[in-house]
Structure formats: structure tokens, C-alpha cells
Amino acid sequence: MAKLFTNSTVLIIPGLRDHVEEHWQTHLSTKLQKVRTVEPAETNKLNCANRVARIEAELKKIQGPVILVAHSAGVLMTVHWAFKHQANIQGALLVAPPDLSQKWPENYPSSESLREEGWDPLPQEKLSFPSIVVASTNDHLASFESVAYLAALWGSDLVNAGAVGHLNPASGYGDWPLAEELILKLDQSYRDSMQSA
């Protein structure tokens, strides 16, 4: 099977559950020609600064432009990273960010533990690179309205994916072709900017 080519290297940033075999990010990593994945944290897995440091460490291994592809808590990690570090980021696909102010189901960390580990407050300024936020209308970790609000604060384009749950294997994703389309859109903007330079 031919690999999907992008000019930029795609850096996949999973959420708190790290590598999940049936996740769309895992499927995506097998399809892309230029791709890396942030490795799971071995210790202090809930610590936001530790997660941000792992993103920075992976980015230092990449030469040239990068597209970040983050899901769930990976989006929060990405935004925290963006306001502490600089890199040649071409764009970011930010999928199903959770709402830190919302009460999550019992099998997720509590808002208190997340605050203690540095996740909250979440940066609420415009990102320095183009970004696309994908929101679900029935995500149990965030309302569509709360995700739309974050997208506006970050200066992101907002994509309404419909009733797709949390866009994870439990919701049936799995393979998710829209991710490839949105990554190619971000990558094309880089090619266009290079041609017009």
C-alpha cells in the first residue's frame, strides 16, 4: 500500500491512554510516510510538564516543518507546549479536547488531580501556527459549545464532526479518513506558502 506523503513530518500526540492499537492515530501512523509519535511517559504519567517535555524531546529529533496531530488530553498537552516552546510548526490538528471545567466519568482523572498536576489553567491565547479543532456534538468529556469556545480563543478553524462521541475506539474510531483530509489541508497551506515566497 502506497504511503500518504506530506511535506511536513506529522507528530502524533496521543492522550492520557498513550498508544492504543485500535485508535485512529495508530491507524494514521501506519499510513503516513513522514511520521513520528510521542512516546508514552514511563513515570509521572499524569504530570502535564512531563508530557510537555516529551513533546519537546520528540520535536528536537525532527528536521523541517511539522504538523501536530493531537487527540483528547493530547490537545491540552499541545497547547501547554505551544506557549512554552518554539518550533517550525506548520499547523496542528486538535481533535476532541476535553473540558477541564466539566465533571468527567469516574474512570477519568478528577479535575482536582489535573489541577494539581499542572493542566489547569489551560492557555487561552491565539496559537502562533494555523490549527484546526475538531469537535463532537455528543462527547462525554466536553460539550460542543465548550470546544467551539476554545477553538475561538486559540484562533483555530472549527470542524463539527457530528455525533462521533469522543472520537476514540469506544466510539468506533478506528479508521478515520477525515483526519487524513485535514492533515493534507494543513500540509497544502505550507506548500502554497513556499511557492509564493
Side-chain angles (χ1 to χ4, degrees):
M1 183 179 73
K3 294 279 189 177
L4 186 66
F5 176 79
T6 53
N7 186 78
S8 304
T9 299
V10 173
L11 179 62
I12 293 175
I13 304 170
L16 291 177
R17 304 207 192 291
D18 292 308
H19 177 83
V20 177
E21 196 64 40
E22 294 305 315
H23 201 285
W24 62 265
Q25 286 180 308
T26 309
H27 286 263
L28 182 66
S29 68
T30 67
K31 296 180 179 181
L32 292 165
Q33 191 173 52
K34 297 172 72 174
V35 63
R36 297 186 71 94
T37 300
V38 174
E39 294 299 318
E42 299 299 326
T43 58
N44 299 325
K45 292 190 174 192
L46 196 57
N47 184 266
C48 185
N50 186 31
R51 296 287 189 154
V52 168
R54 297 192 79 77
I55 295 173
E56 177 68 3
E58 205 61 45
L59 282 168
K60 287 188 172 178
K61 300 174 186 175
I62 301 172
Q63 292 186 336
V66 177
I67 292 173
L68 307 173
V69 176
H71 175 254
S72 191
V75 175
L76 310 185
M77 299 169 206
T78 300
V79 173
H80 277 287
W81 171 87
F83 289 97
K84 292 187 174 93
H85 300 280
Q86 295 292 323
N88 186 10
I89 304 300
Q90 173 54 34
L93 177 59
L94 308 173
V95 180
D99 181 0
L100 288 168
S101 68
Q102 180 174 313
K103 184 173 175 58
W104 296 355
E106 288 184 5
N107 56 328
Y108 288 88
S110 68
S111 57
E112 293 79 13
S113 63
L114 289 166
R115 192 172 301 110
E116 289 170 4
E117 293 290 350
W119 297 86
D120 194 13
L122 185 66
Q124 297 188 348
E125 301 165 35
K126 186 174 180 180
L127 294 166
S128 62
F129 44 80
S131 56
I132 299 170
V133 169
V134 178
S136 167
T137 58
N138 64 339
D139 189 342
H140 59 283
L141 295 183
S143 68
F144 179 84
E145 291 73 19
S146 67
V147 176
Y149 176 71
L150 288 174
L153 291 173
W154 298 334
S156 308
D157 292 338
L158 178 66
V159 172
N160 182 344
V164 292
H166 191 51
L167 268 160
N168 57 4
S171 305
Y173 301 87
D175 202 34
W176 185 41
L178 181 59
E180 298 165 42
E181 293 177 30
L182 296 174
I183 289 166
L184 289 174
K185 180 180 177 181
L186 289 166
D187 193 60
Q188 185 61 48
S189 68
Y190 174 80
R191 297 184 193 200
D192 293 345
S193 68
M194 291 299 289
Q195 288 173 356
S196 63

